[in-house]
Amino acid sequence: MSRVTLISREGCHLCEEAEAVLDRILPGQWVRVDIASSIELERDYGDRVPVVLLDGAEHGYWRVEEARLLRDLDR
C-alpha cells in the first residue's frame, strides 16, 4: 500500500504541478485518485484539489509541501 495518495481532477493545473512534484521526490511511490471516481471524495474535498494524503490522513492541499512531506515520511 502506498503511503502517499494524491486526490486530483482531470484538467486541474495545480493537480498537474502536484503530480510533477511527487514524481520527482517520490517516483513510483504514490498513487493518484481522481476525485470524480467517488461522490464521497467530491463531498469531502470539492474544490480543494489537489489533496495529498499521507497514510490516509490529509497532509495538505493545493500545493505539495515537499520538505514537510519528506520529513513526515521519515517518521
Side-chain angles (χ1 to χ4, degrees):
M1 180 173 125
S2 180
R3 294 190 64 198
V4 177
T5 301
L6 181 69
I7 299 172
S8 65
R9 170 178 283 123
E10 288 296 322
C12 164
H13 73 282
L14 289 177
C15 299
E16 292 169 2
E17 290 175 16
E19 290 172 14
V21 170
L22 292 176
D23 277 340
R24 183 172 45 78
I25 65 173
L26 298 170
Q29 298 177 38
W30 62 278
V31 296
R32 178 187 181 277
V33 176
D34 193 311
I35 195 168
S37 69
S38 163
I39 200 157
E40 289 84 14
L41 291 176
E42 284 277 3
R43 182 190 66 229
D44 292 345
Y45 300 109
D47 291 331
R48 287 191 306 134
V49 293
V51 178
V52 176
L53 304 179
L54 177 58
D55 296 329
E58 187 174 321
H59 189 267
Y61 58 95
W62 291 335
R63 304 272 185 215
V64 177
E65 297 176 59
E66 291 181 51
R68 181 172 159 248
L69 179 58
L70 290 170
R71 182 189 70 228
D72 292 347
L73 282 167
D74 284 339
R75 292 184 180 171

